[in-house]
């Protein structure tokens, strides 16, 4: 990625102090020559909007947010301008000063609207930070520092404010008496900060010539090497994927993790302010020599299998097929804003249209118009793709048909990114921003909430989510990382009964599902881990460690991220920006294919050929999940789990299908489901028996009393159990039913044998019915 910079012929007569975009093609600038100018980088036109009074020296400019109060404006209509005379001015787009407010003693160094446009924060030379209403009425003085406050930013949910105080960074909530977070950020005076609403990361830059990236808890994620000059401006692109910083004759483009994509050395003097266009494709800088510098982001790259696509101009993409070295050029009518390449399709959004190309044919794309031109995210699944813009979430088929548009309470699409939204063939999952413990899950085809309509709720804030891509809808799983960096997995189908959320990893920094089989990979602390069959936790939890592949991750350096997991290749981006490709064994993916097609003989042949314990463990779990006893028995024997082989053998000897199924559920730890299945099948004694075997005495007695059968059996086994341990009965319920009851083991054994005989008869009868139906057919 790089920046293509340009300077127009026109310029201000004095230094430019601030700039701000209204639309992607219109920029306003303010200068010490008291002029406010309007620039169009496409047509290279410049217009003088208004001349400010000679005593007004502008310092900061911020446009009123566009999408507020339910009304979507196509462009911003007014802005706040702070100046050196202690005032801020509300100015319309046409240059009319609507209101001037005496705000601070000394210069007003910064002014920022919150994301909803309901409040304005100003910071002054007098060390005060003040909150104002939309109309310019003072609401509160948030802080009083002993030093000038040079920069101020809102938190993503507009409930906190970040500001500078000398070398310190301070986050102060708007609520009085709430805890203030303060830390030393730099060795010199901090000049600029910015807080991104999508990734929740903070930037700071100052006179120590360094720029730094922090999380919202004040933890340092990146600190740059000292630059040549103090950094005078820094700003996030709205989508939070990268940021730009300006210094003397310097403009740098950086990734969100801190490493640098590109460095430009324009002859402009210091760049005092940077503003990104709303689509994140271009930026403008306010320069010390009176010029406004424009820069466009080019050479973004997308890779998938054997295709590499590069944005070489604003409206041109180059497609390179590395297998045969073929090159195609894709031309667009408008500039490219977002693109995504996956699942055999390239989806490109421009400012007005969406293009869908098949990787088999680059000549005839499918084109449809967009409701709103600012697409902020594209996610692809095998059957459809998701577009996220300022208006909502839209699911389209690859034929360009709108499938659904899911909605949820308090939806804010401007802060969604690839970590907080996940898409599969039948499901869409979105992390809620208002309550970060909640994930909304929708049916892709209808856009309605899945299951009983209740969202998935976790006990801790969730950081990243990912849906698996293959298999049946009823078995769809979602993996997520919470704030403690623990990795959990759960099913998305949720009807009434609370589905188990199971922890399968700790200290996980990044995760990704495979595109062709349900294999999960993640970076844990100092290891790269692959969960070859994550569903093992629901089948046989003890087996999970045997289904893992682990590799030392020290070569990836600090805080690496998984970019993609396609086929058996994992792509990881290191902290310095370099890409590392890892290859994992192809055999688990092949085994997943055999398992989903119930080709168990092929699965056994593969495991015998590979002779790998991990593969045998995966086959054992898959066979148990699909109730294939014979395969499970062979696989468990191969990994030396003799006790489980014996249990499976005992299950195979059970007379009825229902009993076998119930004991398989019991094998997987699903006691409640096993009991329910037996009761529904009328096998009351068997339901009582499994509770006796699990020492669930109270439940066993409860079932016996409720169904008026085998109360003496439960009491007999209870007495034997207590006698073995030399204990006396203390449970009042058991004492009550045991009064006057003599345990006769011969009678009990006869009753048990009768129950088993009844079950055999029943099983034989149902088998005869099945065979007669088959003959008739």
């Amino acid at each position: 990625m790089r920046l293509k910079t340009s300077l127009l012929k026109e310029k201000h007569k004095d230094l430019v102090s601030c700039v701000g975009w209204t639309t992607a093609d219109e920029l306003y600038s303010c200068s010490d020559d008291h002029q406010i100018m309007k620039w169009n980088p496409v047509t290279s036109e410049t217009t003088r909007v208004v001349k400010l009074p000679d005593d007004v020296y502008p310092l900061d400019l911020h446009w009123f947010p566009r999408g507020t109060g339910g009304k979507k404006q196509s462009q911003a209509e007014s802005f706040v301008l702070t100046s050196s005379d202690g005032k801020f001015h509300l100015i319309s787009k046409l240059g009319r000063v609507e209101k001037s407010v005496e705000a601070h003693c000394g210069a007003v160094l910064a002014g920022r609207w919150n994301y909803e446009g309901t409040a304005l924060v100003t910071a002054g030379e007098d060390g005060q930070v003040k909150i104002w209403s939309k109309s310019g009425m003072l609401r509160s003085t948030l802080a009083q520092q002993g030093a000038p406050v040079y920069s101020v930013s809102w938190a993503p949910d507009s409930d906190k404010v970040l500001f500078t105080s000398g070398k310190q960074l301070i986050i102060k909530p708007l609520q009085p008496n709430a805890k203030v977070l303060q830390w030393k950020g730099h060795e010199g005076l901090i000049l600029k900060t910015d807080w991104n609403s999508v990734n929740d990361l903070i930037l700071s830059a100052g006179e120590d010539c360094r720029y730094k990236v922090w999380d919202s808890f004040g933890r340092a994620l990146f600190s740059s090497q000292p630059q040549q000059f103090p950094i005078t401006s820094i700003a996030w692109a709205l989508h939070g994927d990268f940021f730009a910083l300006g210094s003397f004759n310097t403009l740098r483009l950086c990734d969100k993790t801190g490493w640098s994509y590109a460095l430009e050395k324009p002859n402009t003097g210091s760049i005092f302010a940077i503003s990104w266009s709303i689509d994140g494709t271009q930026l403008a800088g306010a320069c010390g020599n009176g010029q406004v510098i424009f820069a466009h982001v080019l050479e973004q790259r997308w890779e998938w299998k054997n295709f590499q696509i590069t944005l070489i101009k604003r409206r041109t993409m180059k497609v390179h097929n590395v297998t045969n070295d073929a090159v195609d050029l894709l031309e667009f009518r408008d500039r490219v804003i977002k693109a995504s390449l996956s699942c055999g399709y390239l989806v490109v959004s421009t400012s007005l249209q969406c293009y869908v190309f098949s990787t088999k044919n680059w000549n005839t794309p499918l084109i449809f118009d967009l409701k709103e031109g600012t697409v902020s995210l594209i996610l692809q699944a095998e059957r459809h793709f998701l577009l996220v813009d300022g208006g909502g979430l839209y699911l389209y088929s690859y034929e360009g048909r709108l499938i659904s548009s899911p909605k949820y309470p308090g939806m804010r699409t401007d802060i969604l990114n690839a970590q907080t939204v996940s898409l599969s063939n039948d499901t869409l999952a979105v992390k809620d921003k208002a309550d970060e413990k909640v994930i909304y899950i929708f049916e892709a085809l209808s856009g309605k909430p899945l299951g009983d309509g209740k969202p998935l709720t976790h006990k801790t804030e969730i950081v990243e989510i990912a849906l698996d891509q293959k298999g049946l809808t009823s078995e769809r799983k979602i993996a997520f990382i919470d704030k403690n960096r623990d990795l959990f997995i759960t099913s998305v189908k949720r009807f009434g009964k609370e589905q188990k959320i199971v922890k399968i990893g700790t200290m996980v920094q990044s995760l990704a599902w495979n595109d062709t089989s349900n294999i999960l990979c993640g970076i844990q602390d100092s290891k790269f881990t692959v969960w070859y069959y994550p569903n093992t936790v629901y089948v046989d939890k003890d087996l999970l460690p045997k289904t893992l592949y682990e590799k030392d991750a020290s070569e990836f350096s600090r805080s690496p991220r998984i970019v993609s997991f396609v086929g058996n290749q994992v792509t990881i981006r290191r902290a310095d920006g370099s890409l590392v490709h890892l290859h994992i064994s192809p055999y688990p993916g092949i085994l997943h294919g055999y398992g989903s097609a119930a080709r168990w003989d092929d699965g056994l042949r593969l495991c015998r050929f590979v002779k790998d314990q991990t593969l045998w463990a995966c086959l054992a779990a898959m066979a148990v999940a699909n109730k294939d006893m014979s395969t499970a028995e062979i696989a468990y024997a191969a990994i030396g789990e003799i006790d489980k082989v014996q249990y499976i053998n005992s299950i195979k000897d059970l007379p009825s299908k229902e009993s076998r199924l119930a004991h398989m559920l019991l094998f997987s730890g699903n006691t409640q489901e096993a009991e329910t299945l037996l009761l529904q099948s009328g096998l009351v004694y068997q339901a009582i028996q499994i509770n006796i075997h699990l020492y669930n005495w109270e439940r066993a007695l409860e079932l016996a009393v409720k169904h008026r059968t085998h109360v003496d059996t439960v009491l007999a086994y209870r007495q034997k159990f207590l006698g073995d341990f030399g204990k006396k009965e203390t449970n009042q319920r058991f004492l009550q039913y045991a009064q006057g009851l003599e345990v006769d083991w011969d009678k009990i054994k006869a009753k048990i044998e009768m129950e088993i005989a009844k079950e055999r008869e029943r099983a034989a009868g149902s088998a005869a019915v099945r065979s007669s139906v088959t003959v008739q057919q």
Side-chain angles (χ1 to χ4, degrees):
M1 221 186 310
R2 68 178 180 87
L3 288 172
K4 185 184 179 186
T5 58
S6 60
L7 294 163
L8 304 189
K9 286 179 185 174
E10 281 285 333
K11 59 183 282 192
H12 284 277
K13 295 184 179 67
D14 210 328
L15 74 81
V16 185
S17 55
C18 45
V19 287
W21 295 89
T22 54
T23 65
D25 299 324
E26 187 178 79
L27 178 95
Y28 278 55
S29 68
C30 303
S31 162
D32 278 5
D33 64 3
H34 311 292
Q35 301 281 2
I36 297 180
M37 304 262 280
K38 183 164 74 175
W39 309 71
N40 188 323
V42 178
T43 59
S44 300
E45 289 175 19
T46 50
T47 319
R48 198 183 93 173
V49 179
V50 67
K51 185 178 186 300
L52 299 167
D54 288 347
D55 59 337
V56 175
Y57 288 88
L59 294 173
D60 194 17
L61 171 160
H62 193 220
W63 284 94
F64 190 76
R66 300 192 308 156
T68 57
K71 295 200 290 274
K72 287 274 169 209
Q73 301 166 318
S74 61
Q75 58 192 57
E77 296 297 333
S78 65
F79 61 91
V80 62
L81 184 74
T82 70
S83 57
S84 59
D85 59 356
K87 293 179 183 174
F88 67 82
H89 313 272
L90 302 177
I91 302 175
S92 76
K93 195 178 172 194
L94 302 171
R96 191 172 71 250
V97 179
E98 307 279 359
K99 193 170 190 179
S100 292
V101 179
E102 288 274 0
H104 293 265
C105 296
V108 184
L109 298 172
R112 283 282 175 270
W113 294 107
N114 69 358
Y115 293 99
E116 292 80 30
T118 53
L120 170 74
V121 62
T122 60
E125 210 171 11
D126 56 3
Q128 294 192 333
V129 178
K130 295 183 177 181
I131 307 291
W132 308 80
S133 72
K134 181 179 168 180
S135 57
M137 303 293 288
L138 180 65
R139 282 188 185 163
S140 66
T141 301
L142 192 67
Q144 291 182 310
Q145 302 301 123
V149 178
Y150 286 96
S151 184
V152 67
S153 303
W154 286 96
D157 44 12
S158 300
D159 64 347
K160 294 188 278 289
V161 169
L162 164 76
F163 56 91
T164 68
S165 177
K167 300 174 185 180
Q168 304 281 318
L169 285 167
I170 301 167
I171 296 176
K172 182 149 189 194
L174 297 189
Q175 292 89 2
N177 307 324
K179 191 183 172 191
V180 177
L181 184 63
Q182 180 170 344
W183 72 96
K184 185 180 177 183
H186 290 257
E187 293 302 321
L189 195 66
I190 301 172
L191 299 175
K192 290 283 177 176
T193 62
D194 197 11
W195 195 343
N196 188 260
S197 63
V198 178
N199 60 31
D200 201 19
L201 298 179
I202 292 167
L203 296 173
S204 65
E207 287 187 347
D208 61 355
C209 306
R210 292 178 189 268
Y211 62 91
K212 297 187 181 185
V213 183
W214 313 85
D215 68 10
S216 55
F217 304 102
R219 293 181 293 216
L221 303 179
F222 178 85
S223 177
S224 74
Q225 294 297 315
Q227 308 294 295
Q228 207 173 349
F229 302 102
I231 297 163
T232 47
S233 55
I234 196 160
W236 281 110
L238 256 67
H239 49 64
D241 289 340
F242 38 78
F243 62 90
L245 58 100
S247 180
F248 180 74
N249 286 353
T250 305
L251 184 63
R252 190 184 283 275
L253 178 69
C254 299
D255 184 76
K256 65 180 176 187
T257 51
W259 54 273
S260 178
Y261 278 114
L263 174 66
E264 296 292 322
K265 286 284 188 181
N267 189 22
T268 55
S270 289
I271 297 174
F272 290 110
I274 289 173
S275 177
W276 283 91
S277 63
I278 193 160
D279 56 23
T281 59
Q282 56 191 337
L283 62 90
C287 307
N289 66 353
Q291 282 182 308
V292 173
I293 186 169
F294 292 94
H296 210 90
V297 178
L298 292 180
E299 291 185 17
Q300 281 176 274
R301 282 192 183 169
W302 298 268
E303 290 177 3
W304 182 75
K305 292 194 173 174
N306 52 313
F307 292 100
Q308 186 182 62
I309 295 177
T310 313
L311 182 69
I312 53 172
K313 293 180 186 169
R314 296 180 190 204
R315 300 175 185 177
T316 311
M317 283 177 147
K318 184 176 86 173
V319 180
H320 182 200
N321 186 341
V322 295
T323 49
N324 58 11
D325 237 15
V327 173
D328 289 275
L329 286 180
L330 311 178
E331 300 279 349
F332 300 93
R333 200 179 73 185
D334 307 290
R335 79 178 170 281
V336 173
I337 291 173
K338 279 277 172 191
S340 174
L341 174 65
S342 184
C343 307
Y345 292 93
L346 169 70
V347 181
V348 180
S349 83
T350 67
S351 49
L352 296 171
Q353 291 172 312
C354 180
Y355 295 74
V356 181
F357 295 86
S358 167
T359 53
K360 293 170 186 164
N361 177 11
W362 297 103
N363 301 319
T364 51
L366 184 125
I367 307 169
F368 60 89
D369 292 337
L370 293 168
K371 293 178 184 175
E372 194 174 310
T374 53
V375 171
S376 58
L377 181 66
I378 303 174
L379 285 184
Q380 286 178 261
E382 195 178 8
R383 294 181 197 157
H384 42 237
F385 62 95
L386 175 78
L387 294 182
V388 180
D389 67 16
L393 305 162
Y394 305 100
L395 263 166
Y396 288 93
S397 69
Y398 286 110
E399 290 78 48
R401 180 172 54 85
L402 179 64
I403 299 170
S404 65
S405 178
K407 290 180 172 58
Y408 58 91
M411 184 165 79
R412 260 186 74 186
T413 54
D414 58 325
I415 54 175
L416 297 176
N417 62 10
Q419 275 74 53
T420 56
V421 187
S422 187
L423 179 68
S424 72
N425 281 334
D426 42 51
T427 314
L428 171 70
V430 185
K431 189 187 92 170
D432 188 18
K433 183 64 187 172
D435 181 357
E436 296 197 338
K437 298 173 184 175
V438 169
I439 301 171
Y440 290 103
I441 298 170
F442 302 95
E443 283 178 8
L445 295 177
S446 65
K448 292 176 182 170
L450 200 66
D452 56 8
K454 290 178 185 171
L456 167 62
T457 307
H458 187 50
K459 57 182 182 293
T460 319
E461 286 88 348
I462 294 163
V463 177
E464 188 173 342
I465 64 173
L467 285 163
D468 65 10
Q469 297 299 306
K470 290 290 172 181
L472 302 171
T473 315
S474 58
E475 293 168 9
R476 181 74 55 236
K477 298 283 186 290
I478 185 167
F480 60 86
I481 302 171
D482 70 9
K483 199 170 75 172
N484 301 326
R485 291 281 158 202
D486 290 330
L487 173 62
F488 293 85
I489 189 168
T490 186
S491 173
V492 298
K493 280 279 185 187
R494 314 176 72 74
F495 287 101
K497 191 178 75 66
E498 195 61 34
Q499 173 72 36
K500 278 194 291 189
I501 298 176
V502 187
K503 182 157 97 173
I504 60 168
T506 56
M507 296 305 291
V508 181
Q509 298 164 36
S510 180
L511 81 157
W513 285 97
N514 187 260
D515 65 332
T516 51
S517 51
N518 290 339
I519 300 173
L520 180 68
C521 72
I523 295 169
Q524 281 186 283
D525 203 14
S526 59
K527 298 192 296 282
F528 168 73
T529 307
V530 182
W531 290 264
Y532 282 134
Y533 189 56
N535 199 36
T536 307
V537 292
Y538 291 109
V539 176
D540 181 358
K541 204 171 180 181
D542 305 335
L543 204 58
L544 186 67
K546 294 189 177 182
T547 63
L548 303 184
Y549 164 75
E550 292 184 330
K551 179 184 180 349
D552 180 46
S554 55
E555 64 177 289
F556 308 136
S557 72
R558 197 169 138 248
S559 58
R561 286 209 70 77
I562 297 169
V563 178
S564 65
F565 185 10
V566 177
N568 57 330
Q569 179 175 293
V570 183
T571 306
I572 294 170
R573 194 178 287 282
R574 298 179 2 151
D576 61 0
S578 59
L579 288 173
V580 182
H581 299 285
L582 278 182
H583 287 272
I584 64 161
S585 168
Y587 299 121
I590 298 168
L591 189 65
H592 271 271
Y594 289 154
S596 57
R599 291 166 59 187
W600 300 112
D601 289 343
D602 291 336
L604 285 167
R605 270 197 291 275
L606 177 71
C607 289
R608 283 174 181 142
F609 168 72
V610 179
K611 297 186 180 73
D612 179 40
Q613 291 284 296
T614 309
L615 211 59
W616 277 114
C618 291
L619 180 64
M622 286 177 193
V624 172
N626 289 278
K627 313 288 187 290
D628 190 290
M629 295 290 89
S630 305
T631 308
E633 190 181 349
I634 297 165
Y636 274 116
I639 55 175
E641 298 272 358
I642 305 304
D643 53 337
K644 288 172 184 171
V645 174
Q646 287 174 336
Y647 186 61
I648 290 168
N649 252 323
S650 70
I651 292 173
K652 283 163 75 179
D653 293 337
L654 291 169
S656 70
K657 183 186 169 188
E658 290 85 358
S659 269
R660 289 195 291 275
L661 212 54
H663 278 80
M664 280 310 299
L665 287 166
L666 211 56
F667 182 88
S668 304
N670 300 320
T671 316
Q672 192 61 51
E673 287 93 324
E675 184 194 289
T676 308
L677 176 67
L678 290 169
L679 290 173
Q680 283 171 350
S681 309
L683 301 171
V684 177
Y685 168 68
Q686 284 78 354
I688 294 168
Q689 187 191 40
I690 62 169
N691 280 296
I692 290 171
H693 288 332
L694 291 168
Y695 306 122
N696 292 340
W697 298 110
E698 293 200 5
R699 179 63 182 159
L701 183 63
E702 187 186 321
L703 288 173
V705 171
K706 184 180 176 185
H707 294 277
R708 296 178 182 175
T709 180
H710 287 285
V711 176
D712 55 344
T713 309
V714 177
L715 293 169
Y717 276 107
R718 170 77 169 179
Q719 281 181 22
K720 184 177 182 300
F721 168 74
L722 291 171
D724 289 344
F725 289 97
K727 301 275 183 188
K728 282 198 170 180
E729 184 63 78
T730 55
N731 189 309
Q732 284 304 316
R733 211 145 176 246
F734 277 91
L735 287 169
Q736 178 193 336
Y737 284 102
Q739 273 178 2
L741 188 82
E742 279 293 322
V743 172
D744 184 348
W745 275 105
D746 293 331
K747 196 175 165 188
I748 287 166
K749 280 173 185 169
K751 276 173 76 175
I752 291 170
E753 279 167 14
M754 207 165 82
E755 289 284 0
I756 293 166
K758 266 164 59 182
E759 189 184 348
R760 282 209 178 98
E761 271 174 41
R762 201 171 140 193
S766 57
V769 169
R770 276 199 300 275
S771 61
S772 69
V773 168
T774 311
V775 168
Q776 284 169 10
Q777 284 173 344

